[in-house]
Amino acid sequence: ETGVTQTPRHLVMGMTNKKSLKCEQHLGHNAMYWYKQSAKKPLELMFVYNFKEQTENNSVPSRFSPECPNSSHLFLHLHTLQPEDSALYLCASSQVGAVRTSGRAVFSNEQFFGPGTRLTVL
Amino acid sequence: KQEVTQIPAALSVPEGENLVLNCSFTDSAIYNLQWFRQDPGKGLTSLLLIQSSQREQTSGRLNASLDKSSGRSTLYIAASQPGDSATYLCAVREGAQKLVFGQGTRLTINP
């Protein structure tokens, strides 16, 4: 596996179900992110993890619960969701700090995205 | 609050044409700007990243420019091909790690 992978790719769940989304990055990065992409709205940042520690929660409802057991894995635990939570959930990773490019140190923090999980809440 | 706007929302052109996609942002205090491509139902593929100190970046048929003072970026696609059909997203990085995205331009290249 290369890059950023996400499972499952598609998920249909009822409002009373509990499910989890999984993300794994194979890039050796130290930061991971969850984004939500709803129809007709820009991509929204949900959570940021640096070195397994959550550093940003963008006012996300508590029915979304992230978990980052190590710098390569990120989970999003879902419970009692609403139909309006139906969306494409994207995971990303990046290297925070300097990256050497052509002998120079560059602080780009370029984010690399997974293919997403298409979630439908009935 | 940073806002990113992409115009047009949708664009359809015949194959072979050169085209320009526009991105504007309201707060010029950005670290960098990234252009992404998204195919239907798929994740994002990073195309180009321009640091705030740079004016442009090129990759193959793609050229992205950045004018930070006026809050604008353009993505130029030369000699468009049907395989270029996708949604193109612009995102600015503000703060250490936060990306703020535009809503995208849906591009269709007609054979």
Side-chain angles (χ1 to χ4, degrees):
Chain A
E1 295 276 15
T2 58
V4 181
T5 58
Q6 290 186 243
T7 55
R9 294 295 309 278
H10 301 272
L11 179 62
V12 179
M13 59 187 288
M15 290 191 285
T16 57
N17 291 158
K18 289 185 180 181
K19 297 286 184 184
S20 296
L21 310 185
K22 178 183 176 182
C23 175
E24 184 172 0
Q25 60 96 359
H26 309 268
L27 301 168
H29 290 162
N30 54 21
M32 297 186 77
Y33 311 77
W34 279 117
Y35 286 87
K36 176 183 179 181
Q37 188 175 35
S38 305
K40 300 183 181 178
K41 289 177 70 176
L43 246 116
E44 301 172 85
L45 178 66
M46 300 174 73
F47 301 103
V48 180
Y49 276 83
N50 285 306
F51 301 97
K52 303 185 299 176
E53 299 297 322
Q54 186 181 128
T55 55
E56 181 145 356
N57 176 338
N58 203 24
S59 303
V60 181
S62 59
R63 58 186 184 268
F64 295 91
S65 174
E67 178 190 1
C68 189
N70 55 60
S71 58
S72 298
H73 294 85
L74 184 64
F75 295 90
L76 188 62
H77 303 301
L78 316 170
H79 63 97
T80 59
L81 294 191
Q82 305 298 311
E84 59 264 29
D85 296 322
S86 298
L88 182 67
Y89 288 84
L90 292 162
C91 173
S93 71
S94 71
Q95 182 65 25
V96 176
V99 176
R100 289 222 163 259
T101 302
S102 303
R104 295 191 304 119
V106 178
F107 293 83
S108 73
N109 197 18
E110 184 175 4
Q111 294 185 21
F112 294 83
F113 284 76
T117 294
R118 172 68 62 186
L119 174 67
T120 302
V121 182
L122 302 177
Chain B
K1 180 187 170 188
Q2 179 76 267
E3 292 185 3
V4 180
T5 303
Q6 291 188 245
I7 295 173
L11 180 64
S12 181
V13 301
E15 180 178 3
E17 280 202 6
N18 303 324
L19 57 99
V20 175
L21 307 181
N22 296 294
C23 172
S24 62
F25 46 96
T26 54
D27 186 345
S28 61
I30 64 171
Y31 284 81
N32 58 43
L33 182 145
Q34 243 176 304
W35 281 94
F36 294 89
R37 168 191 172 132
Q38 186 175 30
D39 292 287
K42 302 284 182 67
L44 277 62
T45 301
S46 180
L47 298 173
L48 290 165
L49 182 149
I50 313 177
Q51 298 286 11
S52 61
S53 57
Q54 297 175 321
R55 299 282 293 183
E56 66 177 351
Q57 282 284 344
T58 298
S59 176
R61 295 182 293 108
L62 305 179
N63 176 277
S65 69
L66 174 64
D67 184 342
K68 206 172 74 158
S69 61
S70 67
R72 294 173 193 266
S73 176
T74 61
L75 179 67
Y76 175 82
I77 303 177
S80 58
Q81 303 170 357
D84 295 330
S85 299
T87 295
Y88 289 80
L89 296 164
C90 161
V92 298
R93 183 162 79 86
E94 57 173 22
Q97 294 168 267
K98 186 174 182 180
L99 284 181
V100 180
F101 283 83
Q103 284 198 258
T105 294
R106 190 172 67 252
L107 176 65
T108 303
I109 307 298
N110 302 304

